[in-house]
Amino acid sequence: MSDTILILGACGQIGTELTQKLRSIYGADNVIASDIREGNAEMMSSGPFEIIDATNQEQILSVVQKYKVTQVYLMAAMLSATAEKYPLKGWDLNMTSLLAVLELAKEKHIQKIYWPSSMAAFGPTSPKMNTPQQTIMEPSTVYGISKVAGEHWCNYYHDKYGVDVRSIRYPGIISWKTLPGGGTTDYAVDIYFDALKKGTFECFLSENTRLPMMYMDDAINATIQLMQADEKSIQIRTSYNLAAISFTPAEIATEIKKYIPEFTITYNPDFRQAIADSWPQLIDDSAARKDWGWRHQFDLASMTKDIITNLQAKAEESAEV
Ligand code: SER
């Protein structure tokens, strides 16, 4: 039987690009995008779209039945910085949506689930360098608590009910097509936009805050590769560590200066500094590399080149209109 995919939270940073990639692989009509509000013109015109509140199991079920959905990618979530402002709302969105899709899979309405965890599942007592797949996990943020709990729910539904749920602990994801919102790693996206527009950037993290990061293209490839992997190769049903690059605000600024020599950066750390300080600096993802063949393609230099080239081309295009 062919796959029909439903994406919950399709209008977010990752969901937007994931939707387009999945539509190119599985055929536009087989990939149903959904969110609590309508998406951009490309999202709305490139395939089916439904309004769904990801915490509403009945709404999800009715769309699953309408299109005979086989796989769900649950991309709706409240990120780390916003969830610190609205702890119970963050917990509710992140947990209720996950339990809703796990229940639908347990009841055999869907066959496969993708759910993202995060490096935020680690905390101040986890090793910061080469953070292992299995180690102490005592997160200090609401977002991290929801990710660690969610990982255990995934593992539980797999072991107890045979649910095929797969997950990755994403590092910070860097994109230029759709902006992130409410995350602690968002600075590494904002910096490119400000560098090109204003020539200067005020960073909300300090100069030497090293965090694991990844270019969007690599994140999308990893996600689809994990979902397409042979079930027998998936040894971990909590969530896989995933890594690509790791850099500080000072290092990304140096890279940007190669294209914009007059670029300047200033540092004004806020409450997000404490969140970043509680996370790993470099993650060991050897299990993902061994079990399902994960390889990243972009480093800091090639990512920066790609983003700046694309943003400059986009600016020229809109100037011509
Ligand atoms: N990018 C996320 C955040 O900063 C981490 O998973 O919240």
Side-chain angles (χ1 to χ4, degrees):
M1 200 182 78
S2 63
D3 289 310
T4 304
I5 294 171
L6 170 63
I7 303 165
L8 299 167
C11 298
Q13 184 202 12
I14 302 175
T16 302
E17 293 197 39
L18 184 64
T19 301
Q20 297 315 328
K21 187 67 182 257
L22 288 171
R23 282 180 172 165
S24 74
I25 297 172
Y26 291 90
D29 289 345
N30 298 319
V31 179
I32 296 91
S34 78
D35 211 305
I36 43 168
R37 66 194 106 73
E38 289 195 352
N40 60 26
E42 188 186 17
M43 172 73 64
M44 302 309 289
S45 63
S46 61
F49 186 93
E50 297 279 343
I51 297 284
I52 299 179
D53 169 356
T55 62
N56 188 323
Q57 195 173 320
E58 274 172 33
Q59 273 181 26
I60 304 171
L61 179 59
S62 88
V63 172
V64 163
Q65 289 175 329
K66 178 175 168 188
Y67 293 93
K68 299 190 172 42
V69 167
T70 57
Q71 299 185 13
V72 172
Y73 286 66
L74 171 52
M75 309 310 288
M78 192 184 286
L79 293 189
S80 59
T82 310
E84 288 308 289
K85 291 185 185 154
Y86 310 103
L88 297 186
K89 266 193 192 164
W91 173 260
D92 183 44
L93 170 59
N94 296 355
M95 283 297 96
T96 309
S97 57
L98 174 59
L99 289 167
V101 292
L102 287 171
E103 275 296 304
L104 292 176
K106 176 188 160 191
E107 302 299 334
K108 310 272 183 246
H109 294 293
I110 45 182
Q111 294 163 11
K112 213 189 260 189
I113 298 168
Y114 177 77
W115 177 77
S117 183
S118 161
M119 61 166 165
F122 297 108
T125 52
S126 311
K128 290 213 177 298
M129 296 307 284
N130 294 320
T131 312
Q133 175 67 41
Q134 284 170 318
T135 185
I136 299 168
M137 297 181 84
E138 298 178 326
S140 55
T141 62
V142 169
Y143 179 66
I145 298 170
S146 77
K147 290 303 183 189
V148 134
E151 287 189 11
H152 289 295
W153 277 118
C154 290
N155 197 45
Y156 183 85
Y157 271 74
H158 174 263
D159 287 356
K160 196 99 176 175
Y161 309 119
V163 169
D164 188 357
V165 53
R166 304 174 182 203
S167 177
I168 283 172
R169 291 173 184 149
Y170 289 133
I173 308 294
I174 322 286
S175 58
W176 60 270
K177 288 184 191 156
T178 310
L179 293 176
T184 302
T185 56
D186 295 6
Y187 92 84
V189 175
D190 300 340
I191 192 170
Y192 288 105
F193 284 83
D194 278 12
L196 284 163
K197 231 203 286 183
K198 306 185 206 157
T200 179
F201 178 65
E202 184 179 278
C203 188
F204 59 73
L205 297 182
S206 67
E207 174 168 17
N208 296 318
T209 309
R210 182 173 301 284
L211 286 172
M213 301 278 188
M214 177 176 291
Y215 194 32
M216 180 64 87
D217 299 45
D218 277 332
I220 300 284
N221 286 340
T223 305
I224 297 173
Q225 198 184 344
L226 174 65
M227 283 298 272
Q228 291 181 339
D230 187 339
E231 199 170 345
K232 290 193 283 295
S233 67
I234 315 290
Q235 303 296 321
I236 292 166
R237 292 294 183 161
T238 48
S239 188
Y240 276 96
N241 276 10
L242 198 75
I245 40 184
S246 187
F247 56 77
T248 65
E251 286 166 358
I252 192 172
T254 302
E255 205 54 46
I256 290 174
K257 274 188 203 159
K258 291 182 185 162
Y259 298 85
I260 309 166
E262 64 285 3
F263 174 61
T264 55
I265 181 166
T266 54
Y267 300 95
N268 188 12
D270 65 14
F271 73 102
R272 288 168 281 195
Q273 184 67 45
I275 301 178
D277 288 342
S278 77
W279 288 350
Q281 296 184 359
L282 193 71
I283 285 175
D284 174 358
D285 65 350
S286 46
R289 290 177 191 261
K290 179 171 136 287
D291 289 358
W292 43 276
W294 157 243
R295 303 275 176 277
H296 71 278
Q297 285 175 358
F298 284 87
D299 59 14
L300 178 57
S302 52
M303 175 180 83
T304 299
K305 182 168 186 233
D306 202 64
I307 295 176
I308 292 190
T309 314
N310 276 296
L311 286 180
Q312 278 171 337
K314 205 173 145 194
E316 275 163 32
E317 247 170 57
S318 45
E320 277 163 21
V321 177

